[in-house]
Amino acid sequence: MKNAVKWQQQHMKGCSLEFKHPYPYMSPYTVGCRAFANIISTFVVDKKCQILDIAAGSGLLGIEMKKHGFENIDGLEPVEDMIKMQPYGIYDKLYREFIGNNNPSSIPTGSYDCVVVGAGICSGHIEADALPEIFRVVKPGGVITFNVGDYRFREKQFGLVLETMLQRYLENGVLETNKATYNLHVQL
Protein backbone atom coordinates (compact mmCIF):
# COMPACT_ATOMS: atom_id res chain seq x y z
CA MET A 1 0.00 0.00 0.00
CA LYS A 2 2.90 2.39 0.67
CA ASN A 3 3.89 2.39 -3.01
CA ALA A 4 0.31 3.15 -4.06
CA VAL A 5 0.13 6.02 -1.57
CA LYS A 6 3.48 7.44 -2.72
CA TRP A 7 2.43 7.17 -6.38
CA GLN A 8 -0.91 8.80 -5.66
CA GLN A 9 0.72 11.67 -3.74
CA GLN A 10 2.87 12.38 -6.76
CA HIS A 11 -0.19 12.66 -9.02
CA MET A 12 -2.35 14.63 -6.58
CA LYS A 13 0.06 17.58 -6.28
CA GLY A 14 -1.80 20.76 -7.09
CA CYS A 15 -5.35 19.44 -6.73
CA SER A 16 -7.48 21.84 -4.74
CA LEU A 17 -11.05 22.44 -3.69
CA GLU A 18 -11.61 24.20 -7.02
CA PHE A 19 -10.77 20.88 -8.70
CA LYS A 20 -8.13 22.44 -10.96
CA HIS A 21 -4.90 20.82 -11.98
CA PRO A 22 -2.19 23.49 -12.36
CA TYR A 23 0.09 21.41 -14.58
CA PRO A 24 -0.40 20.75 -18.30
CA TYR A 25 0.44 17.07 -17.66
CA MET A 26 -2.22 14.85 -16.15
CA SER A 27 -1.39 11.36 -14.95
CA PRO A 28 -2.94 8.35 -16.69
CA TYR A 29 -4.92 7.78 -13.48
CA THR A 30 -6.42 11.29 -13.68
CA VAL A 31 -7.30 10.79 -17.34
CA GLY A 32 -8.83 7.41 -16.47
CA CYS A 33 -10.97 8.96 -13.72
CA ARG A 34 -12.15 11.64 -16.13
CA ALA A 35 -13.12 9.01 -18.72
CA PHE A 36 -14.85 6.85 -16.09
CA ALA A 37 -16.81 9.87 -14.80
CA ASN A 38 -17.96 10.53 -18.38
CA ILE A 39 -19.25 6.96 -18.62
CA ILE A 40 -20.97 7.19 -15.23
CA SER A 41 -22.74 10.38 -16.29
CA THR A 42 -24.20 8.61 -19.34
CA PHE A 43 -25.81 5.94 -17.15
CA VAL A 44 -26.73 8.10 -14.17
CA VAL A 45 -28.67 11.17 -15.26
CA ASP A 46 -30.06 12.23 -11.86
CA LYS A 47 -27.29 14.48 -10.52
CA LYS A 48 -28.92 14.52 -7.06
CA CYS A 49 -28.94 10.75 -6.60
CA GLN A 50 -27.00 9.17 -3.72
CA ILE A 51 -23.63 7.83 -4.96
CA LEU A 52 -21.06 5.73 -3.12
CA ASP A 53 -17.48 5.77 -4.42
CA ILE A 54 -15.87 2.54 -3.17
CA ALA A 55 -12.06 2.53 -3.01
CA ALA A 56 -12.27 6.32 -3.08
CA GLY A 57 -8.51 6.64 -2.68
CA SER A 58 -7.32 10.21 -3.04
CA GLY A 59 -10.69 11.40 -4.34
CA LEU A 60 -9.82 11.82 -8.03
CA LEU A 61 -12.96 10.04 -9.25
CA GLY A 62 -15.03 12.09 -6.79
CA ILE A 63 -13.49 15.28 -8.19
CA GLU A 64 -14.37 14.27 -11.74
CA MET A 65 -17.94 13.31 -10.76
CA LYS A 66 -18.38 16.72 -9.08
CA LYS A 67 -17.32 18.32 -12.37
CA HIS A 68 -20.22 16.42 -13.99
CA GLY A 69 -22.62 17.99 -11.49
CA PHE A 70 -23.14 15.08 -9.12
CA GLU A 71 -24.01 16.53 -5.71
CA ASN A 72 -24.40 13.68 -3.22
CA ILE A 73 -21.27 11.55 -3.17
CA ASP A 74 -20.06 9.49 -0.23
CA GLY A 75 -16.77 7.61 -0.18
CA LEU A 76 -15.47 4.35 1.20
CA GLU A 77 -11.70 4.14 1.75
CA PRO A 78 -9.83 2.16 4.41
CA VAL A 79 -6.31 3.59 3.94
CA GLU A 80 -5.70 6.64 6.13
CA ASP A 81 -2.82 7.94 3.98
CA MET A 82 -5.12 7.97 0.94
CA ILE A 83 -7.87 9.72 2.91
CA LYS A 84 -5.40 12.46 3.89
CA MET A 85 -4.92 13.28 0.19
CA GLN A 86 -8.64 13.81 -0.47
CA PRO A 87 -9.49 17.48 -1.03
CA TYR A 88 -11.96 18.78 1.55
CA GLY A 89 -15.58 18.70 0.42
CA ILE A 90 -15.41 15.92 -2.16
CA TYR A 91 -17.32 13.38 -0.08
CA ASP A 92 -20.33 14.17 2.08
CA LYS A 93 -19.68 11.12 4.26
CA LEU A 94 -16.62 8.90 4.40
CA TYR A 95 -16.66 5.26 5.49
CA ARG A 96 -13.19 4.31 6.75
CA GLU A 97 -13.49 0.57 6.30
CA PHE A 98 -12.69 -2.38 4.05
CA ILE A 99 -15.25 -4.17 1.93
CA GLY A 100 -15.01 -7.82 0.88
CA ASN A 101 -12.89 -10.64 2.32
CA ASN A 102 -15.80 -11.41 4.66
CA ASN A 103 -15.83 -7.83 5.99
CA PRO A 104 -19.47 -6.74 6.19
CA SER A 105 -19.82 -3.02 5.66
CA SER A 106 -21.48 -0.74 8.19
CA ILE A 107 -23.47 0.83 5.34
CA PRO A 108 -27.21 0.11 5.64
CA THR A 109 -28.81 -2.09 2.98
CA GLY A 110 -30.21 -0.21 -0.02
CA SER A 111 -28.62 3.13 0.86
CA TYR A 112 -27.40 4.18 -2.58
CA ASP A 113 -28.86 4.81 -6.03
CA CYS A 114 -25.43 4.25 -7.56
CA VAL A 115 -22.16 2.60 -6.53
CA VAL A 116 -18.97 3.25 -8.47
CA VAL A 117 -15.63 1.50 -8.14
CA GLY A 118 -12.83 3.03 -10.19
CA ALA A 119 -10.01 0.48 -10.60
CA GLY A 120 -10.41 -0.90 -7.07
CA ILE A 121 -11.77 -4.32 -7.99
CA CYS A 122 -8.66 -6.42 -8.48
CA SER A 123 -6.59 -9.08 -6.83
CA GLY A 124 -5.06 -7.76 -3.61
CA HIS A 125 -7.49 -4.83 -3.24
CA ILE A 126 -11.21 -5.48 -3.54
CA GLU A 127 -11.61 -9.17 -4.38
CA ALA A 128 -14.54 -10.60 -6.29
CA ASP A 129 -16.03 -11.85 -3.00
CA ALA A 130 -17.01 -8.23 -2.27
CA LEU A 131 -19.69 -8.24 -4.98
CA PRO A 132 -22.54 -9.44 -2.72
CA GLU A 133 -21.74 -6.68 -0.23
CA ILE A 134 -21.53 -4.08 -3.01
CA PHE A 135 -24.88 -5.27 -4.38
CA ARG A 136 -26.40 -5.13 -0.88
CA VAL A 137 -25.80 -1.39 -0.41
CA VAL A 138 -27.48 -0.47 -3.72
CA LYS A 139 -31.20 0.21 -3.90
CA PRO A 140 -33.29 -2.12 -6.10
CA GLY A 141 -33.10 -0.68 -9.61
CA GLY A 142 -29.87 1.11 -8.73
CA VAL A 143 -26.70 1.22 -10.79
CA ILE A 144 -23.32 -0.36 -10.10
CA THR A 145 -20.52 0.61 -12.40
CA PHE A 146 -16.88 -0.39 -12.16
CA ASN A 147 -13.88 -0.78 -14.37
CA VAL A 148 -11.32 -3.55 -14.34
CA GLY A 149 -8.22 -3.36 -16.52
CA ASP A 150 -7.65 -6.20 -18.98
CA TYR A 151 -4.36 -7.05 -17.26
CA ARG A 152 -6.24 -7.61 -13.99
CA PHE A 153 -8.06 -10.56 -15.54
CA ARG A 154 -4.75 -12.39 -15.86
CA GLU A 155 -3.86 -12.02 -12.16
CA LYS A 156 -4.21 -15.23 -10.14
CA GLN A 157 -7.32 -16.18 -12.09
CA PHE A 158 -9.02 -13.09 -10.66
CA GLY A 159 -10.85 -12.46 -13.93
CA LEU A 160 -12.20 -16.00 -14.04
CA VAL A 161 -13.59 -15.72 -10.51
CA LEU A 162 -15.12 -12.29 -11.20
CA GLU A 163 -16.61 -13.35 -14.51
CA THR A 164 -18.04 -16.55 -13.00
CA MET A 165 -19.69 -14.64 -10.17
CA LEU A 166 -21.19 -12.04 -12.51
CA GLN A 167 -22.42 -14.75 -14.89
CA ARG A 168 -24.14 -16.51 -12.00
CA TYR A 169 -25.92 -13.27 -11.03
CA LEU A 170 -26.97 -12.73 -14.65
CA GLU A 171 -28.30 -16.28 -15.04
CA ASN A 172 -30.28 -15.95 -11.79
CA GLY A 173 -31.90 -12.72 -13.05
CA VAL A 174 -30.35 -10.59 -10.31
CA LEU A 175 -28.42 -8.43 -12.80
CA GLU A 176 -28.97 -6.83 -16.16
CA THR A 177 -25.91 -5.59 -18.08
CA ASN A 178 -24.96 -3.11 -20.74
CA LYS A 179 -21.45 -2.74 -22.15
CA ALA A 180 -19.83 0.67 -22.50
CA THR A 181 -16.35 0.82 -24.01
CA TYR A 182 -14.30 -1.55 -21.85
CA ASN A 183 -16.26 -0.91 -18.67
CA LEU A 184 -18.96 -3.21 -17.39
CA HIS A 185 -22.12 -1.46 -16.30
CA VAL A 186 -24.41 -3.56 -14.11
CA GLN A 187 -27.95 -2.54 -13.24
CA LEU A 188 -29.84 -4.32 -10.46
Side-chain angles (χ1 to χ4, degrees):
M1 278 298 188
K2 285 186 179 181
N3 287 342
V5 170
K6 185 176 179 182
W7 182 87
Q8 195 69 320
Q9 286 171 335
Q10 189 176 2
H11 294 288
M12 281 297 290
K13 288 179 182 173
C15 287
S16 68
L17 184 57
E18 290 82 36
F19 316 127
K20 293 180 183 172
H21 199 293
Y23 308 114
Y25 167 79
M26 289 194 313
S27 74
Y29 187 69
T30 303
V31 173
C33 286
R34 182 168 290 166
F36 194 41
N38 285 337
I39 290 167
I40 293 165
S41 69
T42 64
F43 290 108
V44 183
V45 293
D46 180 4
K47 304 299 184 195
K48 295 183 185 219
C49 73
Q50 292 296 129
I51 297 176
L52 176 64
D53 179 2
I54 294 179
S58 60
L60 284 176
L61 181 56
I63 290 169
E64 294 301 324
M65 289 191 303
K66 290 278 187 179
K67 288 178 183 178
H68 280 278
F70 291 107
E71 298 176 15
N72 304 308
I73 307 171
D74 293 345
L76 183 145
E77 175 57 51
V79 180
E80 193 61 37
D81 285 341
M82 297 299 268
I83 293 168
K84 289 176 185 175
M85 287 186 277
Q86 294 173 358
Y88 178 79
I90 295 299
Y91 299 110
D92 299 327
K93 183 174 187 174
L94 185 64
Y95 296 92
R96 297 166 186 250
E97 59 189 56
F98 287 94
I99 194 165
N101 293 323
N102 297 315
N103 290 314
S105 171
S106 66
I107 301 169
T109 299
S111 296
Y112 291 93
D113 301 297
C114 176
V115 171
V116 300
V117 188
I121 296 180
C122 59
S123 181
H125 294 286
I126 300 174
E127 300 284 346
D129 72 350
L131 289 179
E133 191 64 8
I134 292 170
F135 296 159
R136 183 188 66 76
V137 301
V138 177
K139 295 176 183 176
V143 173
I144 299 170
T145 200
F146 58 88
N147 60 356
V148 180
D150 289 342
Y151 66 97
R152 299 287 191 196
F153 279 94
R154 294 186 292 273
E155 291 180 350
K156 301 176 187 174
Q157 297 190 351
F158 174 79
L160 180 61
V161 173
L162 179 62
E163 215 166 7
T164 301
M165 288 184 78
L166 289 173
Q167 191 60 42
R168 194 171 334 130
Y169 283 116
L170 288 166
E171 288 169 1
N172 292 332
V174 175
L175 301 178
E176 174 186 304
T177 65
N178 297 314
K179 297 225 180 202
T181 64
Y182 293 103
N183 295 286
L184 175 63
H185 160 79
V186 180
Q187 183 169 354
L188 292 175

